[in-house]
Amino acid sequence: MKKTNRLRRALLLLVMGLLCLAGPAAAQEGSDPNPNEPGSSRGIGLSVRAGFDGLHKGTGWLPVQIEVSNSGPPVEGMIGIGQRQSGRPVYQLPISLPTQANKRISTQVNGADFPSGLVVTLQSGSGQILATASSNPVKALRGDHSLLYAVVSSRPEALEHLEKVGGGRLDVGVAFLDLDDLPANPAIWREIDVFIFNDVDTNRLSAAQRQALESWLHLGGQLVVTGGAGWQKTTAAVADWLPVAVSGSESMANLPALADQAGEPFRDPGPYVVAASTLRDGELLFHEQGLPIVARRPLGRGAVYFLALDPQFAPLIDWGGNGRLWQAIVSGAPWPAIWETGFADENEAAGAVSTLPSLVLPSAFLLFCFIGLYVILIGPANYIALRRYGRRELAWVTIPVGILLFSFAAYLIGLRFKGNSVVINQIAMVSGRLGQPQAYVESAVAVYSPRRSAYDIVFDSDALVRRLSSFSGGSGADELFIDQGNEIIIKNKLIDVGGIETYDAAAVRELPPFDGVVRLFEKDGQTRAAITIANHSNAELQNAVLLFDDRALTLGAIAPGETVSREVTVGPAVAAAMRATARGGPVTYIQYADGGGTTLTSPAGIGAAPLPVGPGSTYKPSPLEPFYTNLLGTGSYYGDREIYPRFQFLESLYDNYSSLPAYHPESIFLLTGWTQESLVGVGIKGGRAERSAATIYFLEIPFE
């Protein structure tokens, strides 16, 4: 018995010793006990914030701010960003953390892949998870039909009332940010409609942030800069954009004209602190005996507003007239046209770019001839030849040799048609305004592999890259790994034999030097428009078309260095809208169709005469559909291998069954045309690829 007890004690001690040895090893190989808390035992701190104060437009991109610290041993590892449900990294960023390091990482992810938020992990070089953190909840607004304010203010609560000022949009969000939160990539700013600086030191903006802000302005953004007592620091970095020259601040006993214009008396009595200024460039929306209260200056497609008062203080704080004042500002925010909102039908976009011009299948006639020749030579011809020479016993040699020769020939023909090189194909759209330096680019990209192989696919470092939905559905986010360092790399992407992977790459790019203007004049009792367009680029603008009113005017090819001029009659509604917009009035918009399919077009505007919609039908034709023949150069595009992908691409810009309406400014003259240039760089790291590209431009023409 004593011997048995001693044996039991020895076994117990052995098991306890093994557990003590296994414990540290398990801790090293596994993740933290609480994956939602930073790994304090290793000296790692990790936190993450997603979205613009947790907001974003439903199908757009999320800015992500990651803060990581290390008080322990140095770490060379990887930051992974994954979905909350799976936790599997979708985006990966290399990171180096010396001891006592504190780093802030700004990046972006596609909002459609992270509907409720995201999880960030820090892994060591060996793959060990050192820390994990979950982001704040994320709320998606109703896509491009929503209005998103971004506010940087010392007292954000003073502007919470903006949630009630939507300018007719279907949804409104107000994001309160710090200066450090502002992205340096101008393509991310596309999510924001109205941006407000209030009582903050704008000199703290980095050069990259200020450049991104300026690009956003020229592309249609609306910037509001406030005055009051803190006008100097608020205007410090943006003074040259303002419509006014600010000279100081003064105290005014009352502002009766502002109260009268807004139709609402002030709640709090004066005096009120007002930034004193004089109009320099632009127009006055509200003024007090000539003193600017709200002034506006157009800048590209966007505008800069100066509000001489500080919304944190009287008379604006809790004033009932705020709605009318801010409505005057919001009315200038442009509604996006269908060619400015990305791909509404991703399957069409993927299908368009997957049709590779360099890979043409042989015709059925050639296949029939090849098979017929094979049957004849292996069968009757072989038998007749052997019988003629009296050597029919050699059939066991000639038939296998013939089969081998035809197999080799079939392989060579397959290489000829299938290709032996990686192929990168792009079809892109560019939206902007003539005479402006930059434009938005949205490119569908296809990567074709002739063999089963893994590739590192490299994109421009500032591109926003995501995987396009496959024909079988789903975003494929769990298959997309991006190393966002100095370049964006989809790492080790395995593509099967003859397989194609498709991606969406968005960016802001320099606009080729196309130029043009529309001038209105009266002639014979009619309003006429003289249009002049010049191509100062090195690329031919193919199949150029001018869209205006409910008409399309084909211009043909515009060669480098060529200038074309046309004169057309303009409908009264378009002429009135153009004049009102030129005077600084609000832009009028056309609503093409409502959710039930009812046509709601106004008398003028692009696509104002769409295809008829049947009673009770949910199908709504694209506003561009009446002009497909003009835009494609032919009405017989279904059987054309080069033109049909362009038709598919145009179809991808609009969801024919969406419950949301489509809009466009009534006053627009639009230049469209194609080039064979690619504006977003894509390549194979360490390898070569054949390339093909087509880009369609949608460029507003400024008018006088």
Side-chain angles (χ1 to χ4, degrees):
M1 181 65 72
K2 292 181 179 180
K3 185 175 181 180
T4 302
N5 290 337
R6 286 197 299 270
L7 181 59
R8 288 177 179 174
R9 285 196 294 269
L11 288 173
L12 180 61
L13 290 172
L14 179 61
V15 171
M16 291 177 64
L18 290 174
L19 288 174
C20 291
L21 290 173
Q28 289 178 358
E29 295 174 3
S31 60
D32 287 313
N34 183 355
N36 292 320
E37 296 295 332
S40 56
S41 61
R42 302 185 180 92
I44 300 293
L46 183 65
S47 63
V48 57
R49 288 180 294 122
F52 294 97
D53 195 18
L55 298 174
H56 76 108
K57 294 187 176 180
T59 57
W61 286 79
L62 287 172
V64 179
Q65 305 290 339
I66 302 170
E67 295 186 359
V68 58
S69 61
N70 179 26
S71 59
V75 174
E76 297 291 332
M78 191 76 68
I79 292 287
I81 304 174
Q83 297 169 326
R84 273 186 173 171
Q85 295 83 351
S86 66
R88 184 178 180 183
V90 179
Y91 300 87
Q92 294 183 326
L93 301 88
I95 189 169
S96 177
L97 289 172
T99 302
Q100 303 302 324
N102 287 278
K103 290 194 175 183
R104 181 187 178 99
I105 301 170
S106 298
T107 185
Q108 56 275 327
V109 300
N110 183 249
D113 296 333
F114 302 91
S116 60
L118 48 89
V119 172
V120 171
T121 58
L122 173 63
Q123 295 184 4
S124 66
S126 62
Q128 175 189 359
I129 297 178
L130 303 179
T132 304
S134 296
S135 75
N136 52 294
V138 173
K139 177 186 176 183
L141 303 175
R142 296 185 67 178
D144 299 297
H145 290 75
S146 60
L147 183 77
L148 179 58
Y149 293 92
V151 179
V152 179
S153 173
S154 59
R155 288 181 60 191
E157 63 275 8
L159 291 165
E160 289 178 346
H161 64 84
L162 293 177
E163 291 183 348
K164 300 177 183 178
V165 185
R169 305 296 179 98
L170 300 181
D171 203 357
V172 183
V174 183
F176 298 106
L177 309 175
D178 296 325
L179 283 173
D180 293 339
D181 296 332
L182 304 186
N185 187 333
I188 292 291
W189 283 81
R190 192 174 187 175
E191 294 281 288
I192 300 171
D193 298 292
V194 180
F195 190 88
I196 303 167
F197 282 127
N198 172 230
D199 193 34
V200 292
D201 185 3
T202 56
N203 265 331
R204 289 174 47 207
L205 290 170
S206 69
Q209 286 175 319
R210 190 181 186 279
Q211 184 176 359
L213 176 61
E214 185 174 13
S215 296
W216 170 78
L217 270 172
H218 282 280
L219 292 168
Q222 310 292 303
L223 173 65
V224 182
V225 182
T226 66
W231 68 269
Q232 283 182 304
K233 64 179 181 180
T234 308
T235 63
V238 296
D240 53 337
W241 299 340
L242 296 179
V244 298
V246 188
S247 56
S249 60
E250 61 183 77
S251 179
M252 299 191 68
N254 199 3
L255 298 170
L258 177 60
D260 289 343
Q261 286 176 288
E264 188 76 26
F266 297 131
R267 190 195 70 166
D268 302 311
Y272 312 119
V273 179
V274 181
S277 65
T278 55
L279 186 66
R280 181 176 59 184
D281 184 8
E283 60 173 329
L284 295 179
L285 302 184
F286 296 90
H287 66 92
E288 192 70 38
Q289 298 180 352
L291 177 67
I293 301 299
V294 179
R296 174 183 181 271
R297 176 194 176 189
L299 197 65
R301 295 184 66 205
V304 180
Y305 295 82
F306 180 70
L307 173 59
L309 298 163
D310 189 334
Q312 305 175 87
F313 303 106
L316 298 187
I317 187 71
D318 296 329
W319 176 44
N322 270 319
R324 183 166 181 179
L325 185 148
W326 285 98
Q327 185 66 39
I329 294 174
V330 172
S331 64
W335 292 65
I338 63 169
W339 49 83
E340 298 176 301
T341 57
F343 301 120
D345 189 334
E346 293 189 7
N347 284 333
E348 287 281 9
V353 78
S354 296
T355 303
L356 306 179
S358 59
L359 302 180
V360 182
L361 293 175
S363 67
F365 176 76
L366 290 178
L367 288 174
F368 178 80
C369 292
F370 182 82
I371 294 173
L373 181 64
Y374 171 75
V375 172
I376 291 172
L377 292 180
I378 294 298
N382 181 59
Y383 175 78
I384 292 172
L386 292 178
R387 189 178 67 172
R388 181 176 181 181
Y389 291 103
R391 303 296 300 271
R392 284 181 291 179
E393 69 277 5
L394 294 179
W396 68 274
V397 176
T398 58
I399 290 177
V401 169
I403 292 172
L404 289 175
L405 290 175
F406 267 90
S407 299
F408 183 67
Y411 174 75
L412 293 179
I413 293 172
L415 282 181
R416 167 66 180 82
F417 285 101
K418 189 186 74 171
N420 197 32
S421 301
V422 176
V423 178
I424 297 175
N425 185 37
Q426 293 188 62
I427 306 182
M429 57 181 167
V430 178
S431 59
R433 174 179 286 187
L434 290 178
Q436 294 301 308
Q438 294 179 314
Y440 285 120
V441 179
E442 193 94 20
S443 182
V445 179
V447 180
Y448 163 84
S449 176
R451 64 188 69 83
R452 181 179 173 85
S453 185
Y455 304 94
D456 286 350
I457 307 172
V458 184
F459 291 81
D460 286 342
S461 60
D462 62 340
L464 307 180
V465 182
R466 65 185 184 90
R467 187 170 183 262
L468 279 175
S469 294
S470 63
F471 292 101
S472 58
S475 68
D478 58 341
E479 301 176 15
L480 177 58
F481 293 85
I482 298 181
D483 182 353
Q484 293 179 298
N486 294 326
E487 54 190 7
I488 296 178
I489 307 174
I490 299 177
K491 302 279 288 185
N492 201 33
K493 183 61 183 178
L494 180 64
I495 306 178
D496 217 332
V497 178
I500 296 177
E501 289 293 326
T502 56
Y503 301 94
D504 176 7
V508 171
R509 286 289 177 269
E510 294 295 320
L511 186 64
F514 304 128
D515 202 0
V517 68
V518 177
R519 293 183 175 89
L520 288 184
F521 63 96
E522 298 294 329
K523 182 178 180 181
D524 299 330
Q526 294 181 322
T527 302
R528 306 279 291 174
I531 305 105
T532 302
I533 298 169
N535 181 1
H536 302 300
S537 74
N538 295 322
E540 180 181 71
L541 188 64
Q542 302 168 351
N543 198 39
V545 177
L546 182 67
L547 299 180
F548 65 101
D549 210 336
D550 58 350
R551 290 175 282 170
L553 178 63
T554 299
L555 304 176
I558 304 178
E562 183 180 359
T563 299
V564 298
S565 298
R566 297 289 188 275
E567 186 177 307
V568 297
T569 301
V570 178
V574 172
M578 292 177 68
R579 291 192 178 100
T581 306
R583 289 193 298 266
V587 179
T588 55
Y589 286 86
I590 302 159
Q591 180 178 349
Y592 293 114
D594 68 5
T598 305
T599 302
L600 296 174
T601 55
S602 74
I606 294 173
L611 299 179
V613 179
S617 172
T618 58
Y619 176 85
K620 304 192 301 291
S622 166
L624 292 175
E625 192 164 334
F627 311 115
Y628 278 175
T629 298
N630 306 88
L631 297 174
L632 298 171
T634 176
S636 304
Y637 38 78
Y638 283 101
D640 193 310
R641 186 175 178 84
E642 291 189 4
I643 302 300
Y644 184 70
R646 298 187 179 189
F647 160 74
Q648 282 185 290
F649 189 80
L650 293 176
E651 285 282 278
S652 74
L653 306 184
Y654 186 71
D655 183 359
N656 300 109
Y657 295 94
S658 172
S659 61
L660 300 175
Y663 300 89
H664 203 277
E666 193 172 21
S667 56
I668 194 174
F669 274 70
L670 192 72
L671 173 66
T672 71
W674 297 84
T675 69
Q676 295 180 324
E677 307 290 323
S678 62
L679 300 183
V680 179
V682 188
I684 301 297
K685 193 167 188 177
R688 300 180 63 184
E690 296 181 7
R691 301 175 184 276
S692 56
T695 298
I696 184 169
Y697 291 82
F698 295 97
L699 303 175
E700 294 183 15
I701 308 175
F703 51 84
E704 297 177 359

